[in-house]
Amino acid sequence: MEQLAERLAAVRSRIVGAARRAGRDPDDIELVAVSKTHPPEAVREAMEAGQAIFGESRVQEARAKAPLLPGRLRWHFIGRLQKNKVRAALGCFELIHSVDSLELARQINRIAEEEGQRPLVLLEVNVAGESTKFGFSAGDLRAEAEALSELRRLEIAGLMGMAPYAEEAEYSRPYFMKLRELRDEMRETAGWPLPELSMGMSGDYEVAVEEGATLVRVGSAIFGARSGKQWRPTE
Ligand SMILES: *Cc1c(COP(=O)(O)O)cnc(C)c1O
């Protein structure tokens, strides 16, 4: 399976190319390899090709997979986080990209207090206002910024967003611009440093890098198509 290493190298070189086109330092962009649904062997192969950060969208799946792999791997949570999974998530992810409501933020803050943790989180913004997606609207974020700032346990490190599905990467650009502009605005008004912008997936990560992404979440361009079936440990 030489292919995975080759695909990973191609993604990395495209990230570097996009960064250079935008006059950015390629080292300012981190690649999150989205390994959801893929078996630990695929993660290991990516790891052996130099990949360190992996993205998962289900807590149970990550908790089953991570112990089968070296402890130095870094796991990011990118999916919908259910309130009853927060404690488990805090135990295994270094960054939660997908805090999609004030209510969830409060729950994470509460559990972090109990656990003595200071979790690093991103606020997910529904940049296109799609009814099928979760996240803060720009208006909610402005209205709830004060309440979010009171959640002292949370390290709000940035914003995360997704462009609507489209055939062409260029269609994502206005949404990425909007997310970056909202980040700049919230820096000013809420006083959050917000160094991170998590945007861009297999179809549009180069455009995202051109528009300022610091974290790109790339799955199928590295691991191949998902079968739709979640990986499960065999008994
Ligand atoms: C699955 C997923 C990705 C990766 O998608 P690909 O198109 O396979 O790169 C990125 N971000 C989120 C939030 C996802 O759920």
Side-chain angles (χ1 to χ4, degrees):
M1 281 234 292
E2 188 65 25
Q3 285 170 349
L4 195 153
E6 280 169 15
R7 287 194 297 257
L8 181 62
V11 169
R12 290 192 169 285
S13 92
R14 284 168 179 274
I15 289 171
V16 170
R20 298 237 164 92
R21 281 198 296 283
R24 301 184 58 201
D25 180 349
D27 290 340
D28 291 343
I29 298 119
E30 289 206 276
L31 171 61
V32 178
V34 177
S35 51
K36 64 183 184 198
T37 76
H38 296 288
E41 300 79 67
V43 176
R44 184 176 292 276
E45 208 178 322
M47 178 199 82
E48 281 163 3
Q51 180 62 27
I53 307 178
F54 294 89
E56 289 280 337
S57 58
R58 286 171 191 265
V59 177
Q60 311 91 297
E61 185 181 341
R63 290 202 1 131
K65 217 177 272 184
L68 305 174
L69 291 155
R72 66 174 183 278
L73 295 188
R74 297 158 57 193
W75 299 91
H76 286 194
F77 189 74
I78 62 167
R80 183 108 217 268
L81 184 55
Q82 293 167 317
K83 287 212 227 45
N84 62 352
K85 300 279 164 54
V86 168
R87 198 180 304 273
L90 291 187
C92 53
F93 295 102
E94 68 168 27
L95 176 64
I96 298 172
H97 289 232
S98 44
V99 176
D100 58 10
S101 69
L102 177 57
E103 205 187 346
L104 177 61
R106 283 187 168 137
Q107 174 75 355
I108 298 172
N109 189 66
R110 192 176 314 130
I111 306 280
E113 178 90 58
E114 289 174 20
E115 302 280 334
Q117 290 186 304
R118 294 196 58 84
L120 206 57
V121 302
L122 307 180
L123 302 175
E124 180 172 352
V125 178
N126 188 349
V127 265
E130 290 172 283
S131 60
T132 52
K133 292 213 175 91
F134 297 100
F136 293 86
S137 67
D140 289 345
L141 199 58
R142 291 179 188 115
E144 295 173 347
E146 249 185 69
L148 286 162
S149 291
E150 283 165 14
L151 305 176
R152 301 282 175 204
R153 286 272 157 185
L154 300 190
E155 301 266 9
I156 300 174
L159 304 183
M160 181 271 233
M162 271 176 268
Y165 176 78
E167 288 294 330
E168 292 218 28
E170 261 323 301
Y171 291 137
S172 300
R173 192 180 299 277
Y175 301 99
F176 295 154
M177 287 173 66
K178 251 173 99 172
L179 191 64
R180 187 192 59 217
E181 286 164 9
L182 184 61
R183 189 273 308 267
D184 295 345
E185 177 192 327
M186 297 312 292
R187 259 183 183 162
E188 289 284 318
T189 57
W192 301 327
L194 304 180
E196 307 293 349
L197 261 185
S198 169
M199 55 191 198
M201 311 185 6
S202 291
D204 56 14
Y205 65 91
E206 291 169 88
V207 172
V209 168
E210 289 170 6
E211 294 301 330
T214 62
L215 290 157
V216 290
R217 310 176 310 270
V218 179
S220 45
I222 297 170
F223 293 104
R226 286 180 289 275
S227 66
K229 265 173 54 191
Q230 192 183 334
W231 171 81
R232 291 176 194 285
T234 46
E235 291 84 41

